[in-house]
Amino acid sequence: MSMDMEQALQAFITESRELLEDMELALLGVRQEADPSDAINAIFRAAHTIKGSAGLFGLDFIVDFAHVAESVLDRVREGDIAIDDDVITLLLGCRDHIGHLVDVAAAGHDQADAQLQAEAEPLLAGLHQLLDGPASSAAPAAGAAGAARPVPAPQAGETAHGNADHWHISLRFGSDVLRNGMDPISFLRYLKKLGTIVGIVTLTDRLPGLEAMDAESCYLGFEIVLRSGSSKAEIESAFEFVLDDCLVHILPPHSQVAQYIELLGNLGEDDDGGALRLGDMLVQCGSLTRRELEQALQLQYRQRDEGPLEKPLGMLLIEQGRVEPPVVRAALERQQQIKAAGAMQGKDGGARPAESQSVRVDAEKLDRLVDLVGELITATATATQAGMRVQSAALQEAHSMLNGLVQEVRDSALQLRMVKIGGTFNRFQRMVRDVSREIGKDIVLAVHGEDTELDKTVVEKITDPLTHLVRNSMDHGIEPVAVRLERGKPAYGTLTLNAYHDSGSIVIEVSDDGGGLSRERILAKATERGLVDPGKALSDDEIYQLIFEPGFSTAEQVTNLSGRGVGMDVVKRNITALRGSVSLSSQPGAGTKVTVRLPLTLAIINGFQISVGESVFVLPLESIEECVEFRDDTGHDYTELRGQVLPFARLRVMFSVPGTAGNRQSIVVVRHGTQRFGLIVDRLLGEAQTVIKPLAPMFAHLRGISGSSILGSGQVALILDVPALAAQAIEQAGAAAEALSAAQF
């Protein structure tokens, strides 16, 4: 395969996967649409595009399966097949199978293996059952062109496609088509690849008497009814080799006319900023082929030469039966709208907005760019420190300008990797539907904050933890229908995914309106397992945190989804590895909410440098509230800040930094979610861009450290893990509050 074909194949695979995602979302949302026609058309177009593109690369194993699915979707689009829950389930299975076939093509294979063929059998059986059902009994698929059921040819003045929503093709072969080596029947057979020939009538009106018949001449014509998702141009291309030797009129189905009108409404201006010509508009929307336009223009030119009464192009096309009158009217109206908008814009003197454009870039290239920007930041810091030693004002000014530019480059590079979390949330629509059917519950998924952006690396790594949280909420959180009705709740349960930005982090909430957590049950299970001493008083938060202990489960029975005591500890471990935190709140009878807090990026942050002795540490700038002077005259692990207890951690003690603290220390007030705590440090070094370097696996057990960074001096600075420090501060907060209360009373 040539390099160009290889690149084209990769583009097809990428586009197919995107189309399959769109197809799945449309299938999941079609039942909620007041008018499902747009969603159904989107589903059909996705299958049709994949089938057509696969044919270009000779991927017949994709074409064959997609063609059957497309035929069913065509019947759904026509209204012959109702889009009920069973049909959606079947089409979702077809969507998955097409995805597997695309993966086969991506792996370089030209046919599906036995496992995939076995996977396709029940799907094909279901599709054929829909096609062969009562709705399609009047329109059997043709085994051969001549075996299709005859239908009467349309009379003059009638709509060519009658009451059926099919293409109608009027075909008159020229008398010399046989002499030119063409077989008329072969063209009819080729039509079967574009769809199903529903009916065909052979016209013999030009057939002479036996004595006058020439065996090498063709006298036949055909009226054909075709059910197909192909465009008019694609159908016309079936007769490409005989177009100059025959007459072909192709009239669209009713649904296609509506689509033409919709496409016309979305047409923009031409390259010069004016309205498109009528013929070009009709070609662009697909209601007219380029050949039909050229023939109509030639006829119009001949009429112009013959006299002054030249007919407008639109009227000429209608008289020829090339285009439906409503389509011509819609094109003319759109022309006037564009002209009026152009005139108004010229009056206002404003410039036309530029069209948004996008370029698909490999993720590896973006990652490499961010890595290089990180190295650039480190090199710039080194150059800045060297410039300060030189004591040159001009050099320092140049370094200041360079730092500003590097920061802009950093922000732009990170922005390239920012993606909306809505794509991740939408994946759960399918899972919620499938799992709710599996466990016999009625559950709907509500999504909020889908436009919230975060680093693609974070998105990739958070999908698995979110999957477990969603499945856990469906299995344990939301009650069965009978229980919900007994408690006065709606029969259907609601699972909600929400995302928003807060203090330089992204917060993701997974909540349900189920029965909530049983405080007593969790505590009893924890006591039974020895996690809690009998009779020990714990707060609600402390009890709920027990759920994240390894092997902890209160499920009475093991299911396919949960109950084995694995999962929540893994969720917490994976989120902690992302420098994030997870918390849980619940109200009995009202539901449960799990809150995940994550950094926006794992690559480069705005940091604040602090030092203890000779060691330098970095805190994310967004987590810092303020810095105040600290006097250690109490010996406690808490202080009072503006009337509130503020627990703190001594970094010198926590990390065993050698030396003794100086007389002047500072306390850095840090916020994580709703928790405030302090860090006691020797010096405040100020803000600096920080390139995050992951720690080696041998340091994974260290608490309070999430990564490292190389300073301009070449020294290694440790990046503090704010969630872990917050957890330690929470442990101290209770004791601090009790001690302060005792001191006051």
Side-chain angles (χ1 to χ4, degrees), residues 552-722:
F552 188 89
S553 175
T554 60
E556 297 178 355
Q557 60 182 3
V558 175
T559 69
N560 290 335
L561 297 181
S562 56
R564 295 174 174 82
V566 295
M568 292 301 283
D569 61 317
V570 178
V571 168
K572 185 174 182 178
R573 186 165 62 248
N574 290 344
I575 291 173
T576 303
L578 294 174
R579 307 199 327 272
S581 64
V582 56
S583 60
L584 190 149
S585 61
S586 180
Q587 293 183 1
T592 304
K593 178 168 68 176
V594 180
T595 302
V596 177
R597 183 177 291 270
L598 295 164
L600 289 178
T601 178
L602 303 178
I604 305 170
I605 60 171
N606 285 321
F608 186 83
Q609 295 180 1
I610 53 180
S611 69
V612 178
E614 298 298 325
S615 301
V616 179
F617 301 92
V618 178
L619 280 166
L621 185 62
E622 294 84 357
S623 65
I624 298 176
E625 280 198 348
E626 59 180 318
C627 300
V628 296
E629 187 177 355
F630 175 70
R631 294 186 179 277
D632 190 4
D633 52 6
T634 64
H636 298 309
D637 287 336
Y638 63 89
T639 187
E640 184 180 356
L641 182 64
R642 290 189 286 275
Q644 293 184 341
V645 175
L646 181 72
F648 58 74
R650 303 172 187 269
L651 293 185
R652 181 180 296 277
V653 175
M654 180 181 296
F655 298 117
S656 302
V657 178
T660 58
N663 295 328
R664 295 188 60 183
Q665 291 180 292
S666 298
I667 182 167
V668 181
V669 182
V670 180
R671 176 179 291 275
H672 179 70
T674 58
Q675 177 68 27
R676 294 169 73 245
F677 62 96
L679 297 174
I680 307 301
V681 302
D682 290 348
R683 287 178 296 164
L684 307 175
L685 302 180
E687 301 178 22
Q689 298 180 67
T690 302
V691 181
I692 300 174
K693 301 291 185 181
L695 291 173
M698 63 181 297
F699 300 114
H701 64 284
L702 295 179
R703 287 193 62 190
I705 302 295
S706 63
S708 62
S709 181
I710 300 176
L711 304 179
S713 62
Q715 183 181 0
V716 175
L718 297 177
I719 300 173
L720 297 178
D721 186 353
V722 174

Side-chain angles (χ1 to χ4, degrees), residues 12-14 16-17 20 50 61-62 97-107:
F12 157 72
I13 291 168
T14 302
S16 296
R17 288 169 175 164
L20 288 172
I50 293 173
F61 62 99
I62 297 179
H97 184 68
I98 294 174
H100 297 157
L101 296 179
V102 171
D103 292 339
V104 170

Side-chain angles (χ1 to χ4, degrees), residues 193-251:
K193 295 186 177 181
L194 301 179
T196 302
I197 297 179
V198 176
I200 186 169
V201 170
T202 302
L203 303 179
T204 60
D205 53 307
R206 292 193 303 154
L207 194 63
L210 189 58
E211 65 282 355
M213 183 179 294
D214 183 353
E216 295 183 356
S217 297
C218 180
Y219 304 100
L220 302 179
F222 300 92
E223 295 290 332
I224 305 167
V225 177
L226 178 69
R227 184 171 64 239
S228 173
S230 301
S231 67
K232 189 174 186 179
E234 289 171 334
I235 295 174
E236 185 187 73
S237 67
F239 308 99
E240 180 179 1
F241 297 110
V242 292
L243 283 176
D244 295 333
D245 217 12
C246 67
L247 295 176
V248 181
H249 280 192
I250 305 171
L251 296 178

Side-chain angles (χ1 to χ4, degrees), residues 78-270:
E78 294 172 1
D80 293 341
I81 298 175
I83 187 76
D84 57 19
D85 200 54
D86 291 336
V87 172
I88 291 175
T89 300
L90 175 62
L91 292 176
L92 284 170
C94 294
R95 175 261 174 214
D96 293 342
H97 184 68
I98 294 174
H100 297 157
L101 296 179
V102 171
D103 292 339
V104 170
H109 304 301
D110 57 0
Q111 61 181 0
D113 57 21
Q115 182 178 353
L116 281 178
Q117 292 174 5
E119 177 186 278
E121 289 179 1
L123 297 174
L124 289 172
L127 294 173
H128 285 299
Q129 185 176 358
L130 291 173
L131 290 174
D132 299 336
S136 61
S137 59
R149 176 178 60 87
V151 294
Q155 302 297 318
E158 292 182 350
T159 56
H161 40 63
N163 294 324
D165 200 17
H166 303 126
W167 291 91
H168 186 97
I169 306 171
S170 294
L171 182 59
R172 303 294 186 271
F173 284 105
S175 59
D176 293 332
V177 67
L178 296 175
R179 294 188 181 91
N180 294 333
M182 300 297 177
D183 179 7
I185 302 301
S186 66
F187 295 99
L188 304 185
R189 293 195 186 99
Y190 185 80
L191 281 179
K192 289 166 54 183
K193 295 186 177 181
L194 301 179
T196 302
I197 297 179
V198 176
I200 186 169
V201 170
T202 302
L203 303 179
T204 60
D205 53 307
R206 292 193 303 154
L207 194 63
L210 189 58
E211 65 282 355
M213 183 179 294
D214 183 353
E216 295 183 356
S217 297
C218 180
Y219 304 100
L220 302 179
F222 300 92
E223 295 290 332
I224 305 167
V225 177
L226 178 69
R227 184 171 64 239
S228 173
S230 301
S231 67
K232 189 174 186 179
E234 289 171 334
I235 295 174
E236 185 187 73
S237 67
F239 308 99
E240 180 179 1
F241 297 110
V242 292
L243 283 176
D244 295 333
D245 217 12
C246 67
L247 295 176
V248 181
H249 280 192
I250 305 171
L251 296 178
H254 291 304
S255 60
Q256 201 75 18
V257 172
Q259 184 177 345
Y260 293 155
I261 294 174
E262 179 184 355
L263 292 173
L264 284 168
N266 296 327
L267 285 180
E269 303 167 345
D270 62 12

Side-chain angles (χ1 to χ4, degrees), residues 278-343:
L278 177 64
D280 292 332
M281 295 177 73
L282 296 174
V283 170
Q284 284 196 26
C285 78
S287 63
L288 189 71
T289 67
R290 182 62 63 180
R291 183 190 66 88
E292 290 176 331
L293 174 60
E294 292 174 355
Q295 289 180 345
L297 290 175
Q298 290 175 2
L299 179 59
Q300 192 180 39
Y301 293 152
R302 288 198 298 270
Q303 290 179 350
R304 181 181 303 170
D305 295 337
E306 294 172 359
L309 299 178
E310 174 194 341
K311 291 183 179 180
L313 179 61
M315 183 181 297
L316 194 61
L317 292 171
I318 293 173
E319 288 181 355
Q320 290 181 329
R322 305 285 192 185
V323 185
E324 296 286 341
V327 178
V328 175
R329 287 196 298 269
L332 293 173
E333 290 173 1
R334 182 58 181 160
Q335 258 190 340
Q336 294 302 318
Q337 291 173 359
I338 295 175
K339 289 178 181 178

Side-chain angles (χ1 to χ4, degrees), residues 466-482:
L466 285 182
T467 299
H468 184 86
L469 293 176
V470 168
R471 293 168 71 94
N472 212 47
S473 292
M474 297 176 68
D475 195 26
H476 290 312
I478 298 178
E479 316 95 324
V481 174

Side-chain angles (χ1 to χ4, degrees), residues 464-526:
D464 286 344
L466 285 182
T467 299
H468 184 86
L469 293 176
V470 168
R471 293 168 71 94
N472 212 47
S473 292
M474 297 176 68
D475 195 26
H476 290 312
I478 298 178
E479 316 95 324
V481 174
V483 176
R484 292 183 64 86
L485 293 175
E486 182 181 335
R487 295 176 177 176
K489 293 183 176 182
Y492 63 90
T494 302
L495 179 65
T496 304
L497 292 175
N498 184 31
Y500 57 91
H501 289 148
D502 180 47
S503 301
S505 301
I506 182 172
V507 179
I508 303 174
E509 297 174 341
V510 182
S511 57
D512 61 68
D513 63 348
L517 296 175
S518 173
R519 184 182 186 279
E520 293 74 17
R521 198 166 159 198
I522 295 172
L523 185 58
K525 191 72 174 181

